[in-house]
Amino acid sequence: MLKEEAEAIIDVPLDEVWDWVKNLENITSIIPRVEIIEKIEENHLIVRGDVLPFLNLPDEITTGEAKTIEVNEGKKHTRTITEGKIYKIETFLQCEEREENETRIFMKAEGELKGKAGTALEKLVFLPVTETLVPSARINDILQELKENIKEYMRKHWKEELEKKTKELESFVYTVSHDLRTPLISLEGFADILSEEYGEELGEEGKHYLERIRANVDKIDNFIDDLLQLSRVGRKEPPKEDVDLEEVAQEVADDLSTELEEKEIEVKIGNNLPSFYFERKRVYQIFSNFISNACKYMGDQENPQIRIDGKDKDGSWLVWVEDNGIGIAEDQQEKIFEVFQRENRVEEEGTGVGLSITKKIVESHDGEIWVESEKGKGSTFYIEFPKSTVKNLEDEKED
Ligand code: ADP
């Protein structure tokens, strides 16, 4: 989320900059809120704001509710935005040497609005969000500290927002999934009765349809299982322990050996995988999702391979699962992490929930998840965790 553009070299006493950093709380609050002028119909709101805010977008404006938002920007002009959803925010830290001993540091923020097909429809630039003048010297160190502070601030800010939204969604998903189970069990029961008591009368065609009903009931049952799993992540966490990632990756590969052998897939686990202080079950779920997907979406490769390894990046750990399977089109690479999103045209069975569960596990530990892929060539799924969230505090004390 943070993009650095800091280049100039100047020296600043840290104290002066701290005040500026502390002021971040105010900075976010001065970004104006929009005001809903009128709700014309269910999907149409008219909104006013001097600039379209991105940090304090009111709850009422969600993609679901407002398909069209009209923004009256300082009464200058009105435009229509399809899906008024901010999908990308970046903050830039910039400096500019004013005079010989004086440099201006400022923060600029950019937000992008989501268009019809998920493309950036509009870019909003806030320049500068805040600025401060500092004497020139030692700027590199200071900018580094600033970046860390802003990152931390942003992480916290978004985490709180996300936690609130996630809680609402979780309880909704949990209730709905539970309520769906009951009629589903009845359906299954009636299908059994039909088969046992009227099997003869049904004939071949009737039995075929009954089987299809059963298959569909199973499908919905899988959906509900996945949804319940999704809503449980973060709710009821098993205890943390020291987990050797190499060991878990191997365990998952062993558990999936039937499928892997069937497709003659070679699994290579590198020896740079770390140990995490984490919930073991969750580590298993992450690898299980990545490896089973790599196997499922392998296609007809001549030399099918899955490679798993990791890298120590000083402040964080990077872990990846790479395959040489069917790959994922570029415009789908973000979407597949959303619930029920599957790449267009995949034929393999699935619910489209696995990666959402994985994302949720990773993000609830302050980690990041992404994929790099090329259609027809393969995919690499990455996860990265700050060391501070995956290390055992007890060990640290002993060090
Ligand atoms: P599911 O596999 O049940 O559809 P997931 O959430 O695990 O659900 O994955 C979402 C989608 O991402 C899949 O439907 C598939 O299109 C794509 N995908 C995931 N992993 C891979 C992979 N290793 N190679 C190609 N496509 C993948």
Side-chain angles (χ1 to χ4, degrees), residues 245-255 267 269 287 291 308:
L245 265 61
E246 187 179 334
E247 202 182 290
V248 179
Q250 190 57 56
E251 187 185 336
V252 172
D254 292 344
D255 291 348
V267 179
I269 304 177
F287 278 126
I291 300 173
I308 305 157

Side-chain angles (χ1 to χ4, degrees), residues 122-344:
E122 207 152 344
K123 198 169 240 178
L124 308 151
V125 184
F126 298 84
L127 177 74
V129 172
T130 187
E131 62 175 87
T132 189
L133 283 172
V134 289
S136 305
R138 274 191 24 239
I139 189 71
N140 270 351
D141 292 348
I142 287 147
L143 286 175
Q144 192 53 38
E145 301 252 13
L146 273 175
K147 278 184 273 180
E148 287 309 315
N149 275 277
I150 296 170
K151 254 186 203 167
E152 190 52 43
Y153 176 84
M154 286 298 188
R155 194 177 286 145
K156 198 169 149 250
H157 181 90
W158 286 103
K159 210 175 156 196
E160 278 167 12
E161 283 286 301
L162 205 69
E163 272 169 7
K164 210 173 83 194
K165 290 263 173 272
T166 312
K167 280 222 173 78
E168 286 165 20
L169 194 70
E170 269 165 10
S171 61
F172 173 74
V173 168
Y174 194 76
T175 318
V176 170
S177 333
H178 259 267
D179 291 355
L180 277 177
R181 262 262 147 80
T182 319
L184 205 63
I185 291 168
S186 304
L187 259 180
E188 215 169 10
F190 289 134
D192 284 346
I193 296 172
L194 259 182
S195 156
E196 279 162 23
E197 297 189 12
Y198 302 90
E200 294 300 311
E201 291 158 53
L202 283 175
E204 279 314 302
E205 207 178 346
K207 280 185 190 156
H208 167 74
Y209 285 124
L210 198 58
E211 274 321 302
R212 292 195 49 187
I213 293 178
R214 280 221 175 95
N216 277 289
V217 166
D218 279 349
K219 233 182 196 170
I220 303 176
D221 203 41
N222 286 339
F223 264 116
I224 295 176
D225 269 348
D226 280 357
L227 277 177
L228 280 172
Q229 271 208 47
L230 180 70
S231 72
R232 278 187 192 128
V233 175
R235 238 174 191 239
K236 270 192 174 172
E237 287 303 305
K240 285 190 178 183
E241 56 191 291
D242 282 318
V243 186
D244 180 343
L245 265 61
E246 187 179 334
E247 202 182 290
V248 179
Q250 190 57 56
E251 187 185 336
V252 172
D254 292 344
D255 291 348
L256 292 169
S257 60
T258 315
E259 292 93 320
L260 292 165
E261 278 163 21
E262 210 169 89
K263 293 194 175 181
E264 296 178 1
I265 299 174
E266 186 190 358
V267 179
K268 285 189 179 168
I269 304 177
N271 44 21
N272 299 311
L273 286 166
S275 278
F276 279 179
Y277 187 62
F278 218 91
E279 298 84 1
R280 193 172 206 283
K281 184 181 164 188
R282 300 292 179 223
V283 176
Y284 184 96
Q285 273 179 307
I286 296 173
F287 278 126
S288 168
N289 182 253
F290 284 162
I291 300 173
S292 62
N293 276 350
C295 174
K296 188 157 65 164
Y297 302 109
M298 186 53 82
D300 305 317
Q301 301 302 322
E302 279 204 354
N303 181 23
Q305 281 193 0
I306 301 175
R307 291 166 190 271
I308 305 157
D309 212 349
K311 190 179 170 193
D312 186 340
K313 288 182 70 187
D314 288 338
S316 63
W317 271 108
L318 183 68
V319 173
W320 62 86
V321 176
E322 179 187 1
D323 66 61
N324 56 351
I326 62 171
I328 303 156
E330 207 182 334
D331 64 342
Q332 306 280 313
Q333 290 174 12
E334 269 190 48
K335 280 194 191 150
I336 53 167
F337 292 97
E338 291 170 22
V339 189
F340 300 140
Q341 293 292 336
R342 312 194 67 217
E343 211 208 1
N344 305 332

